[in-house]
Amino acid sequence: MKQIARSPLFNFPMLAKVVGMLLMIESVFLVLPFVAALVYKEADALPVGITMGGTFLTGLVLARRIKPLHSRLSKRDGFLLTSLVWVTFSLFGMLPFIFSETTPCSVTDAFFEAMSGFTTTGASTLGSLPGMSHSLLLWRAVMQWIGGLGIILFTLAVLPMLNTSGGMQMFNAEMTGITHDKIRPRISQTAKSLWAIYMVLTAVLALLLWAGPMSFFDAVCTAFGTLSTGGYTSGISGMQAMQHTYIKVVMTVFMFLGGVNFALLFRFLTGQPRQLMRNDVFRIYVAFVLVMWVSFSVAGFFAEGYRGLEALTLDPLFQVVAISTSTGISLLPVAGWGGFTLMLTILMMFFGGCAGSTSGGAKIDRLVYLVKNTGNELYRCIYPNVVLPVQVGGRVASPQLVGKVIAFLCIYVIVVLVGASILTIMDVPVTDAIFSCFSCISNTGFGTEITGLGGSYDMLPGAAKWVLSFIMLTGRLEIFSVLVLLMPAFWSRS
Amino acid sequence: MKIVIAGSGEVGSHLAKLLSNEEQDITLVDEDAAKLSILDTNYNLMTVVGNPTSFAALREAGAGRCDLFIAVTPYESNNIVACSIAKNLGAQLTVARIDSYDYMKPDNFRHVRNMGVDKVIYPEYLAAKEIITSLEYSWMRSRFELHDGQIILAGIVLPQNAPIAGMQLKEFAFSNHHFHVSAIRRNHETIIPRGDDRLMPGDILYFTTTREHARDLMELTGQKERKIRRVMIMGGGKLTMRLTNLAEGKFKFKILESDLDECHRLSRRCPGVEIINGDARDVDTLIDSGITDMDAFITLTPSSESNILTCLTARELVDAKTIAEVENIQFIDQAEALDIGLVINKKLLASSAIFQLLLDADSSTSKCLALADAEVAELEVRPGSKITHAPVKDLRLSRDMTLAGLIRDGQGMLITGNTRIQAGDLVLVFSLNGALRQVERLFN
């Protein structure tokens, strides 16, 4: 056996090389807003073009100039790379906002905007700015669309390079959910199948919206933002179009689909339709949405000045789906409906959609585990020696797995509380602090207008935006992948 | 190719990793969820938790749509049932690992085939065959035959006094047209040699040659023909039984077994073999049993460590060929470094046999042997491929590969700089790890 020289903890040259390759992919996506800028003859063609070229060149230099000694990526490399990729994407993705001719903004706001885009949070500090150019609006939508299913998953689909165990590590770190079901034996096929479903659904949605009272541009942006459950809107015209019944119905359906496990959707569409209805998590997801729908309708009924058939049926459904899939488009003046709806909103944000979907939150799957485990614990109070496994989908979950899920939920809440505490140092009111943190970790993107503070995230101090950006990333990569980087043991040999 | 593997034991997981690296679609079925989850997170394959002999699990794994179904659970009856189910669901080819010769006998195999098992793999049989080849060609380290022996690949250790020791490869090639030094293994590293590399004593040289010249290698490398007649075996397990039955009087066996009941059983099962009740780990017992008269000493107990160490002890007592069974895969390199003549690993033999089956099904490429860091492949030349464009010397081939020999119209021949490869030839290629993809591009 060849003696392996004690290798460094991290294979930094290889990490840089991979990041370089991914940046080149990002620059390809930047072509879309660049084209939009040219079509609409906007001044933002220059900043977007420069960003595109700069990103490509940086990527090219990193990918070509760096010659790693070996291409092995360890577990540590995998975790670091996942977070690194998301941060670098946001760092380059924010450049068009900073250099924009029409709506320039600070680095803080731009980074917040980009991170919020990629993590499909859809919280905006710029959203209230009128006159954002088409190219920037499109870029925001594209960012969400890439982030929705995952940057790394996209890479796995198009580049064979990551088809190694390091790539597997990254797939596991980026995909949402407790366990990750592969739908095809090879990871690249799985990635291709998932992206294929995603693209087809996006295209169908865009066409449906375009067929209705939406312009082509708005339809594309909204489709990107809806299926990725991001929730960035395409400016004023897009918001106005959302008042149409037809658009509301279509969007509700597709937001809902965005909250369903894509592996399940894949099976549904490829000849195993029964799997969907038989799936525990999916059924609970449907039930959860229905219960919330009724609650919202009732709350709306008792709210003042809110009447009409559509306003009490379709609008609450749209709103409930938008919240629980973490899309976070606010259609109703929920703020005026009292504390109960606010609490329901928080609850929905907490649990989000199904694992393996583009939605955020802690995922319905974990709610199922939590509820079943709680039931077992209570039963155990009466019969102390009873052996009761947690069963989901006819499968017994191992105690370690259940432990990990419970730990996840606890850490989730702790991150929110710690984040909120930091925000209160900066004089953000308690309710708003907790609400914003919840909104960011679950990638919903509701601003403080819901809690009654008014305005959106632009009200917050600069430092708070950085804290929230970090929380968004933590939420998108499902806590462990990011928090592990804070462990001293991660950076040193033990 | 879609491959379903039932059983994630050592053979199953080894195969799964191997095939997954070859970019095949692998689905692994086993009941042990913990074991599968490790494989699932670290390797590029899909896993299904379930009993490999249940319809539900096999359906879920897609056994009905697979090209190859491999059953390698620890029990042969389970393997046969699993294959039977898979075949009936629609699997193209099914392979079962078995533990007894009974199912392999031509008469009986017809019935096994009727149950839906297309091929059986019997690791003890493979191991026994390997040991016998090694005893028959005792002066070679390893020997592979391609196309019924049209081309022979021989691994030989170069002794100090060999005529060619210290020679530069270009001098060697100048005077010996019938041999091709395809690879050199030196200090745990495989080298694809160039003209100015020297052949050093202690190297393992991999020669490619045609059948009629194979014997000349012995003189060339200064090896002595050594007729092996008397063989001592330590441990009387299944492999020992298979070996003594298969050798059919070619050798005179003496078995050392420490368990008395086992000895009685052996005496019934292996007629004509001398059986001694005693522990071969004891030097006195070895000497009393006549180790000093032996031509070869083979250790086949379940303990890899005992096997390796007892071989070393035996070498001090007698100048005999030693063969050790080493079932812990990570010990193999160590055992080879200790210069034990041949190391037998049933799992690797089984997986390479299955690998070979797979390659037979996909005839354009077939890998015949894997060294630790190099691969040897037999590739079919497609019409119009790059490699046919010019004589070999003008092709500017990568330094990580060498073309060793070819088979044209069923006739083996070696390749020199002036050879022009034609479409339809089967070419034997040595390449360092990772270069095989590049090589394949040349052939398509």
Side-chain angles (χ1 to χ4, degrees):
Chain A
M1 211 180 292
K2 217 187 292 180
Q3 278 226 340
I4 301 166
R6 196 165 133 159
S7 56
L9 262 189
F10 296 95
N11 189 354
F12 283 118
M14 189 61 195
L15 292 182
K17 194 181 165 83
V18 175
V19 168
M21 287 173 164
L22 292 170
L23 281 178
M24 281 156 78
I25 292 182
E26 186 177 13
S27 70
V28 172
F29 279 108
L30 272 160
V31 170
L32 289 173
F34 184 61
V35 169
L38 292 183
V39 169
Y40 290 98
K41 300 199 176 57
E42 287 171 342
D44 281 344
L46 192 64
V48 173
I50 290 173
T51 309
M52 185 174 70
T55 310
F56 185 79
L57 279 181
T58 316
L60 193 70
V61 169
L62 285 176
R64 279 296 161 91
R65 283 287 149 207
I66 294 183
K67 298 257 185 310
L69 290 174
H70 60 84
S71 59
R72 267 193 309 276
L73 288 177
S74 66
K75 264 193 166 51
R76 280 192 170 93
D77 291 326
F79 280 121
L80 184 58
L81 189 53
T82 313
S83 295
L84 202 60
V85 165
W86 283 77
V87 172
T88 354
F89 260 59
S90 304
L91 282 176
F92 281 86
M94 75 179 181
L95 298 179
F97 298 107
I98 299 176
F99 299 132
S100 166
E101 300 279 339
T102 45
T103 50
C105 67
S106 67
V107 174
T108 307
D109 285 343
F111 185 79
F112 184 87
E113 196 78 2
M115 185 54 96
S116 160
F118 280 117
T119 57
T120 72
T121 309
S124 178
T125 55
L126 311 173
S128 52
L129 286 175
M132 188 184 265
S133 62
H134 286 85
S135 58
L136 290 191
L137 286 172
L138 183 63
W139 177 231
R140 292 204 311 178
V142 170
M143 285 194 294
Q144 300 184 59
W145 192 68
I146 310 170
L149 211 50
I151 299 167
I152 285 153
L153 196 71
F154 182 79
T155 320
L156 287 171
V158 293
L159 288 184
M161 159 190 75
L162 289 176
N163 248 310
T164 57
S165 53
M168 298 294 309
Q169 200 60 46
M170 293 165 68
F171 168 77
N172 286 326
E174 195 195 62
M175 271 304 264
T176 58
I178 307 159
T179 52
H180 307 103
D181 36 344
K182 300 176 183 171
I183 44 178
R184 312 265 296 272
R186 295 194 74 75
I187 195 73
S188 60
Q189 298 167 341
T190 304
K192 274 185 194 131
S193 308
L194 292 177
W195 268 92
I197 290 277
Y198 190 49
M199 283 184 192
V200 168
L201 286 176
T202 312
V204 170
L205 173 60
L207 288 176
L208 284 176
L209 291 175
W210 191 29
M214 252 195 193
S215 68
F216 179 71
F217 180 81
D218 286 336
V220 170
C221 286
T222 313
F224 281 164
T226 303
L227 210 67
S228 63
T229 69
Y232 271 151
T233 48
S234 58
I236 310 287
S237 58
M239 285 296 272
Q240 278 163 352
M242 259 177 235
Q243 299 302 327
H244 286 267
T245 313
Y246 170 77
I247 299 286
K248 273 189 250 179
V249 171
V250 172
M251 281 182 69
T252 307
V253 171
F254 279 85
M255 280 191 289
F256 181 79
L257 287 178
V260 179
N261 185 345
F262 272 63
L264 215 55
L265 279 183
F266 178 82
R267 295 210 181 92
F268 179 75
L269 295 173
T270 54
Q272 291 164 285
R274 253 181 286 157
Q275 289 235 353
L276 188 65
M277 284 321 294
R278 235 189 279 153
N279 188 283
D280 277 8
V281 175
F282 177 72
R283 292 208 304 233
I284 291 169
Y285 172 52
V286 174
F288 189 70
V289 167
L290 289 179
V291 169
M292 290 299 167
W293 179 24
V294 173
S295 315
F296 263 61
S297 291
V298 172
F301 183 74
F302 288 109
E304 265 175 51
Y306 200 74
R307 288 289 176 273
L309 182 66
E310 190 180 310
L312 287 180
T313 51
L314 183 62
D315 288 357
L317 180 62
F318 180 95
Q319 193 59 67
V320 162
V321 172
I323 300 170
S324 63
T325 60
S326 84
T327 314
I329 298 174
S330 51
L331 187 72
L332 303 180
V334 183
W337 291 4
F340 182 58
T341 40
L342 189 63
M343 277 321 291
L344 287 184
T345 305
I346 290 185
L347 203 62
M348 281 193 281
M349 289 200 301
F350 189 12
F351 287 110
C354 305
S357 69
T358 61
S359 67
K363 308 289 174 313
I364 298 279
D365 302 56
R366 294 199 175 85
L367 172 70
V368 175
Y369 275 72
L370 179 69
V371 169
K372 293 200 174 180
N373 189 55
T374 311
N376 286 355
E377 289 300 336
L378 294 178
Y379 195 78
R380 211 167 279 144
C381 295
I382 316 170
Y383 302 103
N385 293 325
V386 70
V387 176
L388 264 183
V390 172
Q391 266 192 347
V392 180
R395 289 255 153 95
V396 173
S398 72
Q400 285 105 311
L401 192 65
V402 177
K404 197 173 174 191
V405 171
I406 306 293
F408 178 92
L409 293 172
C410 294
I411 301 173
Y412 201 88
V413 176
I414 290 172
V415 171
V416 170
L417 293 180
V418 171
S421 315
I422 298 175
L423 290 196
T424 48
I425 299 175
M426 302 166 196
D427 282 340
V428 180
V430 177
T431 329
D432 300 305
I434 294 182
F435 190 83
S436 331
C437 285
F438 239 119
S439 174
C440 284
I441 200 170
S442 60
N443 302 139
T444 313
F446 270 142
T448 39
E449 72 269 17
I450 305 287
T451 50
L453 181 70
S456 91
Y457 283 87
D458 46 0
M459 307 275 293
L460 295 172
K465 289 174 189 164
W466 289 99
V467 172
L468 290 176
S469 301
F470 176 77
I471 292 182
M472 283 187 244
L473 182 66
T474 317
R476 174 60 183 82
L477 297 181
E478 302 227 302
I479 313 257
F480 292 128
S481 304
V482 176
L483 290 192
V484 69
L485 304 185
L486 304 181
M487 289 276 291
F490 185 83
W491 299 99
S492 66
R493 289 173 211 276
S494 49
Chain B
M1 199 182 224
K2 284 199 175 60
I3 301 171
V4 177
I5 300 174
S8 66
E10 292 212 35
V11 180
S13 45
H14 182 75
L15 260 179
K17 291 176 203 169
L18 201 72
L19 294 173
S20 158
N21 287 337
E22 291 290 315
E23 316 224 325
Q24 309 285 351
D25 296 357
I26 308 298
T27 310
L28 199 57
V29 188
D30 199 286
E31 277 189 301
D32 188 345
K35 208 166 184 180
L36 286 186
S37 80
I38 297 171
L39 288 167
D40 187 67
T41 43
N42 291 311
Y43 294 92
N44 206 340
L45 41 80
M46 198 161 99
T47 56
V48 171
V49 180
N51 185 349
T53 54
S54 79
F55 279 91
L58 292 183
R59 276 217 183 90
E60 194 186 336
R65 283 170 280 118
C66 70
D67 300 300
L68 178 64
F69 180 85
I70 304 168
V72 282
T73 69
Y75 308 103
E76 61 179 352
S77 43
N78 283 359
N79 292 340
I80 291 174
V81 173
C83 279
S84 179
I85 296 175
K87 189 78 188 177
N88 283 309
L89 286 176
Q92 289 292 317
L93 186 72
T94 58
V95 183
R97 184 179 74 171
I98 55 168
D99 295 329
S100 59
Y101 188 58
D102 205 31
Y103 293 128
M104 242 182 114
K105 283 183 193 153
D107 287 355
N108 304 349
F109 184 64
R110 273 188 306 134
H111 301 294
V112 176
R113 178 172 292 219
N114 284 341
M115 286 191 266
V117 183
D118 295 319
K119 293 266 162 57
V120 287
I121 295 284
Y122 179 24
E124 276 81 11
Y125 179 77
L126 297 170
K129 268 201 356 200
E130 176 104 359
I131 293 175
I132 290 171
T133 313
S134 157
L135 292 175
E136 281 176 337
Y137 300 92
S138 64
W139 50 282
M140 290 184 187
R141 250 312 169 80
S142 48
R143 175 193 161 96
F144 298 91
E145 293 191 353
L146 285 132
H147 272 254
D148 297 328
Q150 283 298 331
I151 285 190
I152 288 168
L153 180 63
I156 300 172
V157 184
L158 202 61
Q160 201 74 45
N161 57 358
I164 58 167
M167 211 184 251
Q168 270 194 323
L169 191 62
K170 57 186 171 204
E171 303 166 43
F172 168 81
F174 194 67
S175 50
N176 298 284
H177 297 297
H178 302 302
F179 311 102
H180 182 271
V181 180
S182 310
I184 299 177
R185 193 146 168 82
R186 181 182 295 163
N187 302 332
H188 309 310
E189 209 180 341
T190 306
I191 306 164
I192 300 279
R194 299 280 132 193
D196 42 7
D197 278 317
R198 275 183 197 283
L199 308 176
M200 306 298 284
D203 289 352
I204 302 177
L205 303 180
Y206 286 90
F207 290 96
T208 311
T209 182
T210 48
R211 185 180 0 217
E212 53 267 32
H213 300 290
R215 287 203 73 79
D216 302 342
L217 274 176
M218 186 164 36
E219 196 189 328
L220 202 64
T221 54
Q223 295 278 1
K224 284 189 195 61
E225 165 83 279
R226 178 158 173 198
K227 194 86 188 129
I228 290 190
R229 180 77 191 131
R230 284 183 292 262
V231 180
M232 182 179 276
I233 305 176
M234 162 183 169
K238 260 193 208 147
L239 177 52
T240 309
M241 255 177 249
R242 183 81 348 253
L243 174 62
T244 51
N245 287 336
L246 199 67
E248 279 173 47
K250 277 185 201 153
F251 310 104
K252 206 170 152 13
F253 289 109
K254 201 176 250 191
I255 302 176
L256 269 172
E257 166 61 53
S258 51
D259 184 74
L260 189 58
D261 293 338
E262 195 72 13
C263 287
H264 287 307
R265 212 161 57 83
L266 276 170
S267 66
R268 284 195 303 276
R269 301 283 283 278
C270 314
V273 172
E274 193 179 330
I275 292 148
I276 297 171
N277 180 223
D279 192 343
R281 283 172 298 183
D282 178 38
V283 178
D284 290 335
T285 315
L286 272 181
I287 292 171
D288 289 346
S289 318
I291 178 84
T292 46
D293 303 329
M294 292 295 149
D295 302 318
F297 182 70
I298 308 175
T299 50
L300 303 177
T301 69
S303 155
S304 305
E305 298 87 331
S306 301
N307 290 346
I308 296 171
L309 293 174
T310 316
C311 272
L312 293 180
T313 316
R315 288 175 70 95
E316 297 202 338
L317 297 170
V318 60
D319 175 29
K321 186 176 179 81
T322 49
I323 299 175
E325 180 183 356
V326 178
E327 286 304 323
N328 301 55
I329 290 176
Q330 76 263 34
F331 286 174
I332 292 178
D333 274 330
Q334 311 307 321
E336 273 174 352
L338 291 169
D339 208 22
I340 286 171
L342 176 69
V343 175
I344 292 285
N345 183 296
K346 285 188 293 197
K347 289 163 205 139
L348 290 185
L349 284 170
S351 36
S352 67
I354 291 171
F355 203 64
Q356 194 60 51
L357 276 180
L358 166 82
L359 297 169
D360 289 347
D362 176 19
S363 69
S364 61
T365 316
S366 76
K367 193 149 79 173
C368 40
L369 131 101
L371 303 170
D373 46 6
E375 292 169 302
V376 188
E378 197 188 334
L379 298 160
E380 191 182 326
V381 182
R382 298 251 165 88
S385 57
K386 230 188 209 165
I387 199 132
T388 59
H389 290 177
V392 173
K393 62 173 189 234
D394 301 330
L395 280 173
R396 297 167 165 275
L397 296 175
S398 145
R399 293 182 71 89
D400 289 345
M401 60 174 285
T402 180
L403 305 175
L406 64 83
I407 292 163
R408 183 175 295 165
D409 305 325
Q411 201 66 38
M413 55 194 276
L414 295 185
I415 293 178
T416 63
N418 295 320
T419 312
R420 188 161 185 148
I421 289 166
Q422 298 171 4
D425 290 351
L426 283 172
V427 181
L428 187 67
V429 183
F430 274 70
S431 70
L432 294 183
N433 270 2
L436 197 60
R437 298 262 165 282
Q438 258 172 282
V439 176
E440 276 174 345
R441 235 173 281 147
L442 283 173
F443 284 78
N444 288 321

